[in-house]
Amino acid sequence: MIPSLISGLPLFPERASTMASRVDALYFFLIGVSAFFAVLIATLIVVFAIRYRRREGYVQEPAPEGALALEVTWTAIPLGLVMVMFVWGASIFVAMQRPPDDALQAFVVGRRWMWKVQHVDGRREIDQIHVPVGRSVKLTMTSEDVIHSFFVPAFRVKQDAVPGRYTTLWFQATKPGTYHLFCAEYCGTQHSRMIGQVIALEPADYAAWLAGSSGAQSMAQAGGATFEQLGCASCHRDDSQARGPALAGLAGRPVQLQGGTVVVADDAYLRESILNPQAKIVAGYQPIMPTFQGLVSEEGLLQLIAYIKSLQAKVN
Amino acid sequence: MPETSTTAGAGTVARPGSPGARAHAVAHQFEDAEQQYEAANLGMWVFLVTEVLFFGGMFTVYVVYRSMFPAAFAAGSHELDFVLGTVNTAVLITSSLTMALAVHAARAGGRGAQVAWLAATMALGAVFLGIKLTEYAHKFAEHLVPGPSFRFAGPDAPQAELFFSLYFVLTGFHAVHMVIGLGLLGVLTTLAWRGRFGPSYFTPVEVSGLYWHFVDLIWIFLYPLLYLIDRHH
Amino acid sequence: MHTSHPTISTTTYFVIFVLLLCLTGLTAGVAQIDLGRLNTPAALAIAATKAMLVVTYFMHLRYGSALTRIAAATAIVFLAILIGVTMEDVVNRRTGVYLKGITPTQSIGAWMDVGQEPAAPLPR
Amino acid sequence: MEAARPAVHYLNADYGVRSWLFTRDHKRIGLLYLASITAMFALGGMAALLVRLDLLTPAGDLVSDDTYNKLFTMHGIIMVFFFLVPSIPAVLGNFLVPLMIGARDLAFPTLNLLSWYIFNLGALVTLWAVLTGGVDTGWTFYVPFSTAASNTNVVAAALGIFISGFSSILTGLNFIVTIHRMRAPGMSWLKMPLFIWSIYATSFIFILGTPVIAITLALVGIERLFHIGIFDPALGGDPILFQHLFWFYSHPAVYIMILPSMGVVSEIIPCFSRNRIFGYSFIAVSSLAIAMLGFLVWGHHMFVSGQSVNAGLIFSFLSFAVAIPSAIKVFNWTATLYRGSIWLQAPMLYALGFIGLFTIGGLTGLFLASIGIDVHVTDTYFVVAHFHYIMVGGAVMGYLGGIHYWWPKISGKTYPEGWAKIAALIVFIGFNLTFFPQFVLGYLGMPRRYHVYPPEFQVLNVMSTAGASILGIGYLLPILYLVWSMRYGQAASENPWHATGLEWQTPSPPPTENFSETPIVVDGPYMYRELDAEEVKRVA
């Protein structure tokens, strides 16, 4: 019975993203180093314990207090090794933080206890997300209540979804299949049931999935409707009557603020400018915009941002 | 039993000094009054280190939020009573002076002076708390207490609520420290009245003084951080 | 008995007291003047000076043992670590753009920018 | 040198409940703490047992979701704040610090007793919170879950921890002042036993870290109680700021647990190797280095929290740096065995077991410091396994080793050596069986705090639960035979291990005043040789 159990026992998770093999390579390196030192220490202890076990007529030698050369050696070697680990781990992490520019976009809102996903074309999913193999996907995430964490073990990626701000995560699936999606940040009663699936499809299958049962408003369209409904266009317009900055082509570009600082109009900036307009005033404009805190839902915000980004597409 | 015959590298010897070196006020664990004094003094300083970090947690929250919402903090600060805050600073500084003089008197041994300066310190502490309560009452009346009844005009209302949360938490914990200090001073005054302190024994007055000055120190920083943001507007 | 702890004369206490009152007046006055981004640093510098006076004279740090000075320094160092490292995160995470050669728009000193004059008064 | 059991000692100097409840004797207070934390350990252990039993099946059939969440929260809060943090400092530290430095008591005996009452008050408030509905936030109290979402007794639990924090502060304060001001003549800093160094470094963390967790939990309680926003994201508050404040204490808290254990091991290894400790000053200084550096690495708990990338990289770098002093200690302990005369009594078995488990815990810490791997394994069972290797494999092994080593001094009786060796072996085996499979589970991706889990994780979970039952027996045995030995054990001599150190120069159990005369110190610690009269005179 035991052997059959062991043979069916997985030791490593499936490797289904470009990041997975990079993380695993470092993992195996660390296992190698750890095993070497663990075995070394264990062997020394056992050998010493047997070799020097209570001897008759033992007299303590006037042993040195220590040996500087030895101390320096066993300080320097681990130090060198951990610095290799640091640089290696940091390079992986930096890559995890840099989504490729051509990544597909999708938006994720965590809520106790479900994952709400919306694709750029407006398609919504709950507790599952379809992605194409071989194409980078960038998720922009937030939460409606408490902190959640989007975790796909097969991709070796994880990122908290934090209420009140955006975080991002990207991956590129390498193998078609259905993979676990876990909430990894404790969020209450059904935390362990806040799970789902990441379904990676071959490009052709993904295209077929996209083609099926569409017809929903795209995110940008929905955002445009909200934009009209809230009367944003009365100030953010292209003519001389504009009391707010023009939005076309804004997303992703640097913005000059009062006081001379320059920020990049990323998602976080756009979100802040809607919810807390006084925080960053664009040079040449008055701080007259009211807050829209409480008037727009988290999904509505994501749609508004998608709309602002689509304005950029028109200009280009 | 191990085969090696061992004894530690230590021996014992009677400590030099006459039996009279251990005065009546020295607790049994100390060798002499000097050691006892130094232990108490160091103990209070170490305690004050923990107090710095205790308030430090709140200061960290303050620094982070002020960096995020400078305008809201300025708007919130404008709602505080500049005059009362300044007067209270002066009151607390004066109480630090009287406390220092009380320690001085305890060292000199004059009973009347000790009691007088301690009582003056308590009176000033009470004045400070009285003024603070008045300010709190105004804030209640103006709906500036964070929570469901909070009302604040202007675009920064949510972040101004954060400012007032910090205002009440910081000044509230400071006031709690003041109350504890008043309690300590009350005990000291009684003991001083009974003539317990003099040149050979004044440690309690001295370490309580350290505590009182520390509470003053915290206020010295709270005053500009809470009351003086963007005053010139 | 406590020969290692010389007493400070009452005159010194009064001098320090007067200095502290003057500094309080100074900080209250300076706050009324627009110094641009220097208002907050000025207020904190004055507060730090007052704190030094209280610690040095009222709390006898100047005459105490080296150990008490080390204790005071330890408190300041670790408070600085708590605030400084937390701010390192707060300041750098807000721009949303990292490690691409783009200078963070906020610096550690940015929270002192309150004194800067906005283009128009805040709407009420 | 072998003195008979003294007629009057600290245990029989006075009788009756009052003589214990109002004692100011550091040795008796140490025993009071021993009683309190043993009770808390039993409660925390029962919660752990229920958690492990529930995880036998993927569907979590034993208890409901909410009950499961309350159980692991109770386990975490009790074990961290009411067992591990006070364990060695408050029990062995209280008992040994004055004895080891040749003092009659701690500097502030009344504060010491007060700290025990405060500890119990905090524990009772927390237990009240647990018994009247429970708490389900996890011991980490993350906002906004703890402030806005949880509808359990968060305020009471936070209040209990807040209160018990003052007992930590008073204990640390007492140790720092005592070690600075009350060492026996001749005991310079570099002649202090390594246990004293580690307790000194631990006290440092008590003093600097505890007030920050106190105010942080107070802010959570205030936010909840008065419905004001402090960390509330709806007002612009920052939940990640809470995490910074929380881990500023809670990461160094791990060193509160492991440093004293390292100190115990540094006493046991030279004694049972009959060797001077190798690299005394490196071990001593590395304790301080760990305490200091420990305050600079808290952000490695937050690599996926959304903190800035810069901060993540800095914290990763510093986390690797803090591994070095720990590695230095392990190498020096191992070198101390070389050419010694090794006596494998129970305390030595615990100490060697400590080195093994701590080495694994420390090495897996490198995986977590490595920011690219941490993204995958954080908040999974990999982290659970790692910190149990440090906090249970490390801290508790050291604690048990210390209890056995000094038991003759504490109780005046010898414990049954055979049973003790068996228990040490059971603990070692049970521990590894419980927690090693969790490393694999974590890398496979099983998140922590999961009540139900995918069926492919079941085999490893069953192994872990089986190990936990063995571990439970291993922990039960010492409680039984140590209590038995208090009544039926053989009387212990003054120095049964023929150890060095001032605590072995006074009778077992020691008199209330510890030493009949103030001892003086000539040599550094761990010198196994006779002193001649000339040397005694020279220092005197």
Side-chain angles (χ1 to χ4, degrees):
Chain A
M1 180 196 157
I2 297 286
S4 70
L5 271 181
I6 299 293
S7 66
L9 195 64
L11 291 178
F12 304 100
E14 201 159 357
R15 228 177 280 164
S17 79
T18 49
M19 210 51 81
S21 45
R22 290 188 68 175
V23 173
D24 281 0
L26 176 54
Y27 184 65
F28 292 136
F29 172 69
L30 277 167
I31 287 180
V33 172
S34 302
F36 172 77
F37 279 101
V39 169
L40 176 74
I41 297 287
T43 311
L44 285 178
I45 288 177
V46 171
V47 167
F48 288 167
I50 295 168
R51 169 73 182 76
Y52 302 115
R53 182 142 189 219
R54 288 181 74 187
R55 288 166 293 158
E56 288 299 319
Y58 167 80
V59 179
Q60 185 185 13
E61 292 170 34
E65 202 234 14
L68 190 62
L70 209 51
E71 299 282 355
V72 170
T73 312
W74 66 42
T75 305
I77 291 177
L79 193 63
L81 277 172
V82 298
M83 284 307 109
V84 171
M85 295 172 194
F86 164 69
V87 172
W88 193 340
S91 71
I92 294 175
F93 182 69
V94 169
M96 285 173 173
Q97 302 300 318
R98 276 185 183 162
D101 291 335
D102 63 345
L104 276 178
Q105 290 250 45
F107 300 88
V108 176
V109 177
R111 174 187 184 165
R112 298 200 299 160
W113 292 274
M114 62 168 78
W115 292 104
K116 297 194 284 187
V117 178
Q118 189 164 21
H119 295 267
V120 178
D121 68 356
R123 190 185 300 264
R124 292 164 184 275
E125 300 181 74
I126 285 185
D127 287 344
Q128 60 175 15
I129 174 170
H130 287 76
V131 297
V133 165
R135 178 95 193 263
S136 301
V137 177
K138 176 185 166 192
L139 304 180
T140 301
M141 307 193 291
T142 189
S143 162
E144 282 184 9
D145 39 41
V146 303
I147 301 175
H148 302 282
S149 193
F150 190 95
F151 176 33
V152 186
F155 294 170
R156 313 285 189 276
V157 291
K158 184 185 288 133
Q159 176 63 52
D160 285 6
V162 185
R165 41 181 304 214
Y166 292 143
T167 52
T168 60
L169 169 152
W170 79 273
F171 53 80
Q172 180 175 338
T174 52
K175 224 163 71 175
T178 302
Y179 306 107
H180 285 300
L181 159 63
F182 293 129
C183 174
E185 185 59 78
Y186 175 70
C187 57
T189 308
Q190 295 186 39
H191 166 56
S192 64
R193 299 175 202 272
M194 190 170 164
I195 58 176
Q197 297 172 330
V198 178
I199 301 160
L201 300 171
E202 291 289 4
D205 298 334
Y206 183 71
W209 177 79
L210 277 182
S213 78
S214 184
Q217 259 189 330
S218 80
M219 278 191 80
Q221 283 164 344
T226 313
F227 196 80
E228 290 301 324
Q229 183 201 332
L230 294 172
C232 308
S234 59
C235 295
H236 293 286
R237 46 208 270 184
D238 296 333
D239 58 24
S240 58
Q241 300 293 305
R243 284 179 289 165
L247 300 178
L250 169 68
R253 287 233 312 261
V255 179
Q256 175 98 28
L257 299 185
Q258 265 176 21
T261 49
V262 175
V263 296
V264 172
D266 55 11
D267 293 356
Y269 167 82
L270 294 175
R271 174 196 172 83
E272 185 183 35
S273 297
I274 298 167
L275 295 180
N276 183 22
Q278 312 293 332
K280 296 195 178 75
I281 304 296
V282 178
Y285 290 91
Q286 300 294 316
I288 52 167
M289 177 169 157
T291 176
F292 286 84
Q293 185 110 42
L295 297 176
V296 197
S297 69
E298 289 294 347
E299 286 170 288
L301 278 169
L302 289 167
Q303 288 162 352
L304 274 176
I305 291 168
Y307 172 68
I308 293 168
K309 285 179 173 167
S310 74
L311 294 175
Q312 175 176 30
K314 249 182 254 170
V315 169
N316 294 342
Chain B
M1 287 292 123
E3 54 288 289
T4 45
S5 147
T6 59
T7 313
T12 59
V13 70
R15 181 146 170 86
S18 63
R22 294 183 67 191
H24 65 282
V26 177
H28 81 102
Q29 69 270 26
F30 295 111
E31 294 290 327
D32 51 38
E34 180 74 18
Q35 191 186 37
Q36 171 161 324
Y37 167 81
E38 288 191 339
N41 196 280
L42 179 62
M44 181 47 84
W45 275 98
V46 172
F47 179 71
L48 295 184
V49 171
T50 71
E51 289 279 30
V52 170
L53 271 297
F54 184 84
F55 280 96
M58 289 182 278
F59 280 126
T60 308
V61 178
Y62 173 91
V63 169
V64 168
Y65 286 167
R66 185 165 166 191
S67 81
M68 287 177 171
F69 315 114
F73 270 55
S77 174
H78 284 214
E79 300 296 326
L80 297 184
D81 194 319
F82 172 71
V83 175
L84 287 185
T86 312
V87 168
N88 243 354
T89 309
V91 168
L92 210 48
I93 286 174
T94 314
S95 82
S96 252
L97 171 73
T98 55
M99 187 70 229
L101 293 172
V103 176
H104 192 80
R107 282 183 166 185
R111 206 186 92 180
Q114 286 173 41
V115 173
W117 288 125
L118 286 171
T121 310
M122 287 178 73
L124 287 163
V127 169
F128 177 92
L129 286 174
I131 293 178
K132 198 76 236 157
L133 275 179
T134 315
E135 285 191 72
Y136 281 177
H138 290 167
K139 297 292 161 284
F140 267 98
E142 295 161 12
H143 288 281
L144 288 174
V145 178
S149 64
F150 185 79
R151 302 281 177 276
F152 193 87
D156 296 312
Q159 289 80 35
E161 192 173 346
L162 286 182
F163 172 82
F164 279 101
S165 296
L166 282 173
Y167 166 78
F168 277 101
V169 168
L170 279 163
T171 56
F173 275 112
H174 180 261
V176 168
H177 280 76
M178 292 284 296
V179 171
I180 293 171
L182 284 181
L184 280 176
L185 289 176
V187 175
L188 287 185
T189 314
T190 316
L191 292 177
W193 182 260
R194 290 183 193 155
R196 281 286 297 277
F197 305 122
S200 66
Y201 183 64
F202 55 83
T203 311
V205 189
E206 168 132 349
V207 296
S208 305
L210 288 176
Y211 174 84
W212 189 264
H213 295 309
F214 171 80
V215 178
D216 182 23
L217 272 185
I218 293 293
W219 184 261
I220 284 177
F221 282 97
L222 289 183
Y223 169 62
L225 290 179
L226 295 174
Y227 288 82
L228 298 184
I229 309 175
D230 241 6
R231 261 298 150 190
H232 51 274
H233 283 121
Chain C
M1 178 176 293
H2 302 307
T3 46
S4 57
H5 310 283
T7 46
I8 304 175
S9 75
T10 46
T11 323
T12 315
Y13 288 136
F14 276 102
V15 169
I16 299 301
F17 169 66
V18 171
L19 272 176
L20 286 170
L21 283 189
C22 291
L23 285 168
T24 305
L26 182 68
T27 193
V30 163
Q32 314 299 329
I33 309 164
D34 184 2
L35 295 177
R37 56 170 56 202
L38 289 178
N39 272 100
T40 303
L44 286 178
I46 294 172
T49 313
K50 286 161 77 179
M52 279 303 292
L53 289 175
V54 171
V55 170
T56 312
Y57 292 97
F58 285 175
M59 297 172 82
H60 305 159
L61 191 72
R62 189 176 165 187
Y63 308 96
S65 67
L67 212 51
T68 51
R69 279 191 283 272
I70 292 171
T74 307
I76 294 166
V77 166
F78 280 81
L79 178 59
I81 289 173
L82 173 60
I83 295 179
V85 180
T86 305
M87 281 307 287
E88 202 289 324
D89 165 33
V90 170
V91 153
N92 286 313
R93 82 167 113 104
R94 296 188 62 224
T95 61
V97 180
Y98 313 106
L99 297 170
K100 283 187 173 174
I102 291 173
T103 322
T105 56
Q106 304 266 323
S107 68
I108 299 249
W111 69 281
M112 295 177 175
D113 284 355
V114 187
Q116 229 175 338
E117 193 175 4
L122 294 169
R124 290 266 105 166
Chain D
M1 210 51 210
E2 302 281 313
R5 187 180 166 89
V8 179
H9 48 77
Y10 83 100
L11 289 171
N12 67 5
D14 205 350
Y15 288 100
V17 175
R18 282 177 58 91
S19 78
W20 283 88
L21 291 184
F22 295 103
T23 183
R24 291 162 10 121
D25 181 347
H26 65 100
K27 302 179 286 298
R28 285 188 162 207
I29 295 170
L31 289 189
L32 291 176
Y33 263 114
L34 178 63
S36 294
I37 70 161
T38 305
M40 294 309 272
F41 180 72
L43 285 173
M46 276 180 229
L49 197 67
L50 288 172
V51 164
R52 278 306 342 155
L53 280 177
D54 187 74
L55 289 173
L56 272 174
T57 55
D61 298 307
L62 189 64
V63 296
S64 70
D65 285 350
D66 277 329
T67 308
Y68 179 84
N69 295 342
K70 287 171 183 170
L71 279 173
F72 77 67
T73 302
M74 171 181 163
H75 170 69
I77 290 179
I78 288 181
M79 287 303 203
V80 170
F81 295 109
F82 296 99
F83 173 70
L84 287 165
V85 164
S87 60
I88 295 182
V91 178
L92 293 174
N94 256 331
F95 192 91
L96 290 167
V97 166
L99 282 168
M100 281 184 152
I101 65 171
R104 282 188 287 274
D105 204 325
L106 290 172
F108 310 113
T110 313
L111 283 187
N112 197 18
L113 179 64
L114 181 65
S115 86
W116 180 70
Y117 280 102
I118 292 175
F119 174 80
N120 285 324
L121 179 64
L124 286 176
V125 171
T126 302
L127 285 182
W128 177 78
V130 165
L131 294 178
T132 57
V135 194
D136 72 343
T137 58
W139 76 280
T140 45
F141 288 95
Y142 269 22
V143 297
F145 181 77
S146 61
T147 48
S150 173
N151 49 10
T152 55
N153 291 338
V154 179
V155 175
L159 179 67
I161 296 167
F162 180 87
I163 293 171
S164 77
F166 287 94
S167 105
S168 292
I169 289 172
L170 291 180
T171 302
L173 186 155
N174 225 334
F175 287 156
I176 286 185
V177 173
T178 306
I179 293 170
H180 268 290
R181 293 291 189 220
M182 300 178 70
R183 299 193 308 277
M187 182 169 277
S188 59
W189 282 86
L190 288 179
K191 286 180 183 166
M192 291 196 316
L194 287 167
F195 180 75
I196 299 295
W197 273 100
S198 73
I199 287 288
Y200 182 74
T202 307
S203 305
F204 200 82
I205 305 173
F206 274 140
I207 290 304
L208 293 167
T210 317
V212 177
I213 190 74
I215 186 62
T216 308
L217 292 180
L219 291 177
V220 167
I222 288 169
E223 173 160 356
R224 225 184 129 84
L225 211 54
F226 300 109
H227 304 288
I228 67 171
I230 293 172
F231 300 112
D232 182 1
L235 300 179
D238 185 2
I240 297 173
L241 173 60
F242 167 87
Q243 297 175 25
H244 279 297
L245 292 170
F246 178 84
W247 291 113
F248 181 81
Y249 165 79
S250 296
H251 187 74
V254 176
Y255 301 114
I256 290 180
M257 304 167 199
I258 198 68
L259 276 171
S261 218
M262 290 168 157
V264 169
V265 169
S266 303
E267 297 295 319
I268 293 177
I269 299 260
C271 172
F272 291 91
S273 309
R274 305 277 124 204
N275 229 344
R276 192 173 180 182
I277 189 110
F278 197 87
Y280 168 87
S281 46
F282 287 89
I283 296 183
V285 171
S286 66
S287 289
L288 283 185
I290 289 173
M292 306 271 178
L293 280 173
F295 275 101
L296 290 167
V297 301
W298 76 80
H300 67 219
H301 297 265
M302 301 161 58
F303 284 154
V304 301
S305 68
Q307 74 175 344
S308 83
V309 177
N310 295 0
L313 295 176
I314 292 167
F315 280 127
S316 167
F317 180 83
L318 292 168
S319 303
F320 277 117
V322 82
I324 301 300
S326 302
I328 290 173
K329 281 185 196 276
V330 169
F331 290 131
N332 279 304
W333 290 323
T334 310
T336 304
L337 302 175
Y338 179 64
R339 306 188 75 174
S341 172
I342 294 166
W343 194 23
L344 291 175
Q345 295 296 82
M348 188 62 161
L349 292 183
Y350 278 110
L352 296 180
F354 168 95
I355 297 180
L357 299 182
F358 175 74
T359 301
I360 296 176
L363 287 168
T364 51
L366 297 175
F367 292 67
L368 299 170
S370 182
I371 188 163
I373 294 181
D374 184 80
V375 168
H376 175 58
V377 293
T378 190
D379 280 323
T380 69
Y381 265 83
F382 193 95
V383 172
V384 175
H386 159 74
F387 73 69
H388 279 93
Y389 264 84
I390 298 288
M391 287 153 59
V392 184
V396 179
M397 287 294 266
Y399 172 69
L400 287 175
I403 291 283
H404 284 85
Y405 180 53
W406 283 291
W407 189 252
K409 185 57 62 184
I410 293 171
S411 69
K413 300 289 178 71
T414 51
Y415 61 82
E417 188 62 46
W419 280 107
K421 285 178 176 167
I422 291 169
L425 211 62
I426 293 176
V427 167
F428 187 80
I429 292 168
F431 179 86
N432 280 301
L433 185 55
T434 309
F435 292 105
F436 204 85
Q438 295 185 2
F439 283 122
V440 181
L441 264 180
Y443 201 74
L444 284 172
M446 177 164 165
R448 64 192 289 201
R449 298 172 170 178
Y450 258 34
H451 178 222
V452 297
Y453 55 84
E456 66 258 36
F457 298 145
Q458 190 177 9
V459 175
L460 289 161
N461 271 299
V462 171
M463 286 166 71
S464 187
T465 302
S469 55
I470 297 174
L471 189 58
I473 295 168
Y475 286 145
L476 203 58
L477 274 178
I479 296 178
L480 294 178
Y481 64 69
L482 288 179
V483 170
W484 174 88
S485 77
M486 281 200 286
R487 186 166 175 87
Y488 301 105
Q490 279 184 335
S493 64
E494 177 178 292
N495 188 359
W497 312 118
H498 292 243
T500 62
L502 293 178
E503 79 270 29
W504 301 110
Q505 307 298 310
T506 192
S508 306
T512 303
E513 290 272 315
N514 292 349
F515 302 96
S516 44
E517 293 167 290
T518 304
I520 57 149
V521 179
V522 180
D523 279 326
Y526 320 114
M527 294 297 282
Y528 289 86
R529 67 184 185 86
E530 295 277 357
L531 273 193
D532 55 41
E534 192 65 26
E535 282 176 300
V536 175
K537 254 191 231 153
R538 202 175 58 233
V539 175

